[in-house]
Amino acid sequence: MNAKLKLSDFGISTDRGLLPDKDPLTVLPPGLEFLDDFGNNLPELIESGKILTDTKLLPTPPAEYFSGLNERELQLAWVRYSFIQSAYVHSQKVSPFSICKSIAQPVVAISKILKVRPILPYSGYVLHNWKRKDPNGPIKVDNLELIQTFIRDSDQSWFNLIHVDIENEYGLGLRNLWDAQFFVEMGSTSGLQLSIFHINQSIKTMIAVMKRMPEGTSPNTYYKIRPWIMFF
């Protein structure tokens, strides 16, 4: 591997690829209990049509509050807020769409700290949005649940969690892509061949996981999932 740089320098785990090294938090620290409650009830708020009124009533922590959170706390807050923001925007029927300050201000504050755009990203939708049913079990789709969702539908959970499984399997490929550079620089044919073998195995496993998508997500119901993650 490159002696000067490590995969971790790029936020990449040597075991889990783009998934975090530690499982995501599922509960926010004291002071943000309201956000967990609101996030857990988001599907019902969307279904009842109360999302537009109730979101405006949320407390608005000062921007500096989020600077005191650690990485895992920030990521969970980001998952909650970015889901709520998307639900709020896509529940509006008349343009131009707007975002109330109780969501806009925290979203901007957290996005600046995490250095991401203030909108629901793949990292919030998938990479930091899962938990294991059995904490000691594998990071496999059958042992996973979503932390945050838009609708109470197993199709959405399966759709997201298949991607978590794929990302975990990608860890082997990423690690060996990194190692392959070292073996090229060293002129080690055997080392390069071994890395390519593992990369190939990683790709095959990811494809096998992807092929499981129809087991839990039907193309006939995907239309329920897609609108909530549209760009705005």
Side-chain angles (χ1 to χ4, degrees), residues 68-227:
L69 300 182
N70 62 41
E71 174 72 16
R72 296 171 76 210
E73 292 168 341
L74 272 174
Q75 291 293 354
L76 177 55
W78 181 238
V79 168
R80 296 294 195 196
Y81 273 121
S82 55
F83 264 77
I84 295 169
Q85 177 181 240
S86 285
Y88 185 86
V89 169
H90 293 300
S91 292
Q92 296 175 54
K93 306 302 181 183
V94 180
S95 61
F97 301 138
S98 63
I99 303 172
C100 57
K101 69 175 183 179
S102 60
I103 292 298
Q105 290 181 2
V107 162
V108 170
I110 298 174
S111 68
K112 287 181 178 178
I113 297 171
L114 294 178
K115 298 180 181 179
V116 295
R117 293 184 177 182
I119 193 169
L120 177 62
Y122 181 73
S123 60
Y125 190 58
V126 173
L127 302 181
H128 295 274
N129 186 28
W130 55 275
K131 59 182 177 180
R132 288 190 256 195
K133 298 175 184 176
D134 175 2
N136 299 313
I139 303 176
K140 299 295 295 180
V141 62
D142 303 289
N143 188 44
L144 299 174
E145 295 177 321
L146 287 181
I147 297 171
Q148 180 66 61
T149 187
F150 289 112
I151 56 176
R152 301 285 183 209
D153 191 303
S154 60
D155 280 43
Q156 183 186 352
S157 295
W158 189 263
F159 177 80
N160 285 47
L161 297 173
I162 279 286
H163 288 82
V164 174
D165 194 339
I166 290 172
E167 294 291 354
N168 187 57
E169 295 296 344
Y170 188 36
L172 176 65
L174 273 174
R175 184 168 68 250
N176 279 277
L177 277 169
W178 190 259
D179 290 347
Q181 299 177 80
F182 170 79
F183 291 125
V184 169
E185 292 172 359
M186 296 298 293
S188 174
T189 301
S190 59
L192 180 60
Q193 288 176 334
L194 183 61
S195 288
I196 291 174
F197 170 80
H198 287 306
I199 292 168
N200 185 51
Q201 289 301 113
S202 177
I203 293 172
K204 287 181 177 179
T205 306
M206 287 190 287
I207 291 173
V209 173
M210 188 64 185
K211 286 183 176 180
R212 294 192 62 192
M213 182 68 80
E215 292 180 28
T217 300
S218 167
N220 296 322
T221 57
Y222 182 69
Y223 72 91
K224 297 179 183 179
I225 304 170
R226 184 62 188 174

Side-chain angles (χ1 to χ4, degrees), residues 9-20:
D9 294 330
F10 303 95
I12 298 173
S13 167
T14 55
D15 295 320
R16 302 180 176 188
L18 297 179
L19 295 180

